[in-house]
C-alpha cells in the first residue's frame, strides 16, 4: 500500500489530454514539493516535473503539473503513442522522514 | 554524458549479503546527494535510502532500516549499498540515482540502468 494514491490506469486517444492524480496528506504533499516521473519497463525512469509544476530542460510543455492542498496532478496534452508508460508521483514525507512514491499509473494511448 | 552505472547485483540466498556499487561519471559527484531506489517485479518505485554529498546525513526507508547501509567514496566517484539479512521481498531492480535539488529530496534527475537483486533459495 503506497503512501501516495494514484489511479492504477488511465487512457485516452491520440491527440487528447489526460490527467493523472496523486493524493496524499499534510505530512507529504500538503507541505512538500511534488515530482513526477515516467517509466518505461526496462529503462531508467525520467524526471518530468519537479517543484510541483516546473519542467526540466528538454521536457516539452505538453507536460504540466499542479498541486492543491494534499493532491497533485500531472497533465499531458497532445497524447502520442510514445507517451504510453507508467507515471509516478513522488515527494518527501516529513513524518516518515522518507521519500514516498505513488503506486504508479499506467497510461494507455488508445 | 552524465552517467551512473550500477554493479554488484545477483542471486543470493535469504539471510545473505550483497554490496551494490554505483560508478558516477561526467559530473562533480561530490556536489550531489545520492539515493538508491528499487522496483520489485510487477511493483512500483520504492525509495530505499539517501546520503548527503559528504555523507554526514543519511536516511533509510523503514523497510530496510537496520539491514542496509549506504555509503560513498567521493575520491572514487562511487556510491555503495551494503545489504544484509536479505529477504525475498528485497528482490528488485536497484537504481542508483542523483538527487538534483538540495532543498527537495524527491527530485531525481539522473538514473542508472539498474542492477537486479534476486533473493531466493
Amino acid at each position: 500500500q503506497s503512501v501516495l494514491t494514484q489511479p492504477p490506469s488511465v487512457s485516452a486517444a491520440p491527440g487528447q489530454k489526460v490527467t493523472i492524480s496523486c493524493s496524499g496528506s499534510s505530512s507529504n504533499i500538503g507541505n512538500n514539493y511534488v515530482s513526477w516521473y515516467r517509466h518505461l519497463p526496462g529503462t531508467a525512469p525520467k524526471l518530468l516535473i519537479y517543484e510541483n509544476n516546473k519542467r526540466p530542460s528538454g521536457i516539452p510543455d505538453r507536460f504540466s503539473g499542479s498541486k492543491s492542498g494534499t493532491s497533485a496532478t500531472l497533465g499531458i496534452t497532445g497524447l502520442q503513442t510514445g507517451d504510453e508508460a507508467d507515471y509516478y508521483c513522488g515527494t518527501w514525507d516529513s513524518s516518515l522522514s522518507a521519500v514516498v512514491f505513488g503506486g504508479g499509473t499506467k497510461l494507455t494511448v488508445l | 554524458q552524465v552517467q551512473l552505472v550500477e554493479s554488484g547485483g545477483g542471486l543470493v540466498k535469504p539471510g545473505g549479503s550483497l554490496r551494490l556499487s554505483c560508478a558516477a561519471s561526467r559530473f562533480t559527484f561530490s556536489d550531489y546527494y545520492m539515493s538508491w531506489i528499487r522496483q520489485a517485479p510487477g511493483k512500483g518505485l520504492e525509495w530505499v535510502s539517501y546520503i548527503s554529498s559528504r555523507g554526514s546525513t543519511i536516511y533509510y526507508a523503514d523497510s530496510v532500516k537496520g539491514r542496509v547501509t549506504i555509503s560513498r567514496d567521493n575520491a572514487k566517484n562511487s556510491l555503495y549499498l551494503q545489504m544484509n539479512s536479505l529477504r525475498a521481498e528485497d528482490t528488485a531492480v536497484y537504481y542508483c540515482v542523483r538527487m538534483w535539488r538540495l532543498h527537495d529530496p524527491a527530485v531525481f534527475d539522473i538514473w542508472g540502468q539498474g542492477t537486479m537483486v534476486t533473493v531466493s533459495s
Side-chain angles (χ1 to χ4, degrees), chain A residues 28-106:
Chain A
N28 42 68
I29 292 178
N31 284 285
N32 293 290
Y33 290 121
V34 177
S35 303
W36 289 91
Y37 300 86
R38 176 171 70 186
H39 189 204
L40 278 162
T43 69
K46 185 178 185 67
L47 175 66
L48 297 175
I49 298 289
Y50 67 98
E51 291 179 10
N52 305 330
N53 56 19
K54 297 179 181 176
R55 285 176 287 106
S57 173
I59 300 300
D61 58 8
R62 299 191 299 111
F63 296 89
S64 64
S66 64
K67 188 183 99 167
S68 178
T70 59
S71 293
T73 301
L74 173 70
I76 311 173
T77 60
L79 278 171
Q80 305 168 2
T81 55
D83 292 328
E84 288 198 334
D86 297 320
Y87 291 81
Y88 294 89
C89 56
T91 187
W92 179 253
D93 190 298
S94 304
S95 294
L96 297 174
S97 293
V99 174
V100 292
F101 287 104
T105 298
K106 183 176 182 59

Side-chain angles (χ1 to χ4, degrees), chain B residues 58-86:
Chain B
I58 289 173
Y59 286 98
Y60 297 103
D62 285 345
S63 58
V64 301
K65 204 171 291 183
R67 302 186 299 118
V68 157
T69 302
I70 191 172
S71 62
R72 66 190 296 161
D73 185 335
N74 287 341
K76 294 183 178 180
N77 292 332
S78 293
L79 178 72
Y80 307 101
L81 189 70
Q82 176 67 43
M83 300 189 295
N84 302 322
S85 302
L86 282 162

Side-chain angles (χ1 to χ4, degrees), chain A residues 33 35 37 39 45 51 88 98, chain B residues 39 44 101 103-104 106-108 111:
Chain A
Y33 290 121
S35 303
Y37 300 86
H39 189 204
E51 291 179 10
Y88 294 89
Chain B
Q39 184 178 34
R101 313 289 282 184
H103 60 279
D104 183 357
V107 183
F108 307 107
W111 297 65

